[in-house]
């Protein structure tokens, strides 16, 4: 399953398939990006991050891709599992401020058994 | 062991009351934050403290006052609660800022769901 465009609030994906969650950012000065996962009733949990001097970073079952030309960030989840059902947020830190993390609106991922 | 903890988890109160939410982190981080998450899941930063010093203060009504007694604690006091204050409030912490050789990864607490009646 894949979310497209600036923002798609929900994404439904079959268990075992790969998921792609997209995020567009507006600040060309942003140099650090993070993906968070928020399960129901819990706080956001760090998944993976990437700095602007990279275009790809891989973690365990997750890959983040950064396209600075079009200011686009994506999170790919391989072999999606029921435990991956959550709201996923992309967040950016503008280069001018080390502290201010700006969150996107979030995409709700639902994994179908 | 909980890295970032908040109390209470749920808070239901009447309009006009004053309430506090407490946050503690045992990660040894220097920077702590308060975020507000609305009903549409949108997360917005409210405040940030670094070593007990206020470094971010977004456009938040002055009814909201953060207090940091030490770098492991950042409490949020809210005066004269209004209906629109109903939300989930998250505390977070991070290590030293990048300019001091640290990272930006913020670790979040479990949240406090505030309901104003």
């Amino acid at each position: 399953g894949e979310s497209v465009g600036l923002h798609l609030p929900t994404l439904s994906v079959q268990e075992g398939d790969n998921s792609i969650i997209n995020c567009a950012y507006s600040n060309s000065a942003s140099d650090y990006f993070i993906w968070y996962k928020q399960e129901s009733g819990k706080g956001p949990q760090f998944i993976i991050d990437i700095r602007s001097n990279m275009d790809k970073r891989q973690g365990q079952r997750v890959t983040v891709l950064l396209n600075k030309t079009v200011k686009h960030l994506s999170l790919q989840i391989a072999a999606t599992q029921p435990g991956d059902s959550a709201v996923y947020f992309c967040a950016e830190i503008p280069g001018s401020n080390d502290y201010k993390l700006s969150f996107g609106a979030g995409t709700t991922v639902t994994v179908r058994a | 062991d909980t890295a970032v903890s908040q109390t209470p988890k749920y808070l239901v109160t009447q309009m006009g009351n004053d309430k506090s939410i407490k946050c503690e982190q045992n990660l040894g981080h220097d920077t702590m934050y308060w975020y507000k998450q609305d009903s549409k899941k949108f997360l917005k930063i409210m405040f940030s403290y670094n070593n007990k010093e206020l470094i971010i203060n977004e456009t938040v009504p002055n009814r909201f006052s953060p207090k940091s007694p030490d770098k492991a604690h950042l409490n949020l006091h809210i005066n004269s609660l209004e209906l629109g204050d109903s939300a989930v409030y998250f505390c977070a912490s991070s290590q030293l800022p990048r300019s001091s050789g640290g990272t930006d990864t913020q670790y979040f607490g479990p949240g406090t769901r505030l309901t104003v009646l």
Side-chain angles (χ1 to χ4, degrees), chain B residues 6 8 21 37 43 52 58 64-65 68 74 76 78 81 101 106-107 112 114-115 117:
Chain B
Q6 295 178 228
I21 307 172
Q37 186 172 48
L43 266 165
K52 300 194 297 176
E58 289 296 282
F64 290 79
S65 54
S68 182
L74 181 62
L76 183 65
I78 315 171
L81 278 156
Q106 294 182 20
Y107 296 88
T112 296
L114 171 65
T115 303
L117 303 175

Side-chain angles (χ1 to χ4, degrees), chain A residues 31-32 34 36 38 41-46 49 51 87 89 93-95 97-101 103-105, chain B residues 9 31 33 35 37 40-43 45 48 50 55-56 58 90 97-99 103-110:
Chain A
D31 63 353
Y32 181 63
I34 310 173
Y36 281 91
Q38 186 179 19
K42 297 183 180 180
Q45 177 186 4
F46 171 85
D49 59 0
R51 299 209 179 270
V87 179
F89 294 95
I93 289 186
N97 189 321
D98 281 347
Y99 303 94
K100 191 172 178 180
L101 195 61
F103 281 83
Chain B
K9 188 166 176 62
T31 309
Y33 313 79
Y35 287 84
Q37 186 172 48
K40 296 183 180 180
K41 297 287 188 181
F42 186 66
L43 266 165
I45 191 166
S48 177
N50 177 256
I55 54 173
I56 293 176
E58 289 296 282
F90 287 100
R98 283 182 284 166
S99 58
T103 69
D104 303 294
T105 304
Q106 294 182 20
Y107 296 88
F108 284 77

Side-chain angles (χ1 to χ4, degrees), chain B residues 42-101:
Chain B
F42 186 66
L43 266 165
K44 185 169 172 59
I45 191 166
M46 301 172 69
F47 301 103
S48 177
Y49 269 74
N50 177 256
N51 275 321
K52 300 194 297 176
E53 180 184 344
L54 182 65
I55 54 173
I56 293 176
N57 185 347
E58 289 296 282
T59 309
V60 178
N62 57 15
R63 298 183 294 105
F64 290 79
S65 54
K67 286 184 173 51
S68 182
D70 54 63
K71 73 174 191 177
H73 296 84
L74 181 62
N75 303 324
L76 183 65
H77 189 75
I78 315 171
N79 289 328
S80 303
L81 278 156
E82 299 177 357
L83 294 176
D85 297 333
S86 295
V88 181
Y89 292 85
F90 287 100
C91 176
S93 72
S94 67
Q95 228 173 344
L96 294 167
R98 283 182 284 166
S99 58
S100 302

Side-chain angles (χ1 to χ4, degrees), chain A residues 34-53:
Chain A
I34 310 173
W35 279 99
Y36 281 91
K37 171 187 180 183
Q38 186 179 19
E39 295 175 270
S40 181
K42 297 183 180 180
Q45 177 186 4
F46 171 85
I47 301 174
I48 191 168
D49 59 0
I50 189 168
R51 299 209 179 270
S52 59
N53 60 355

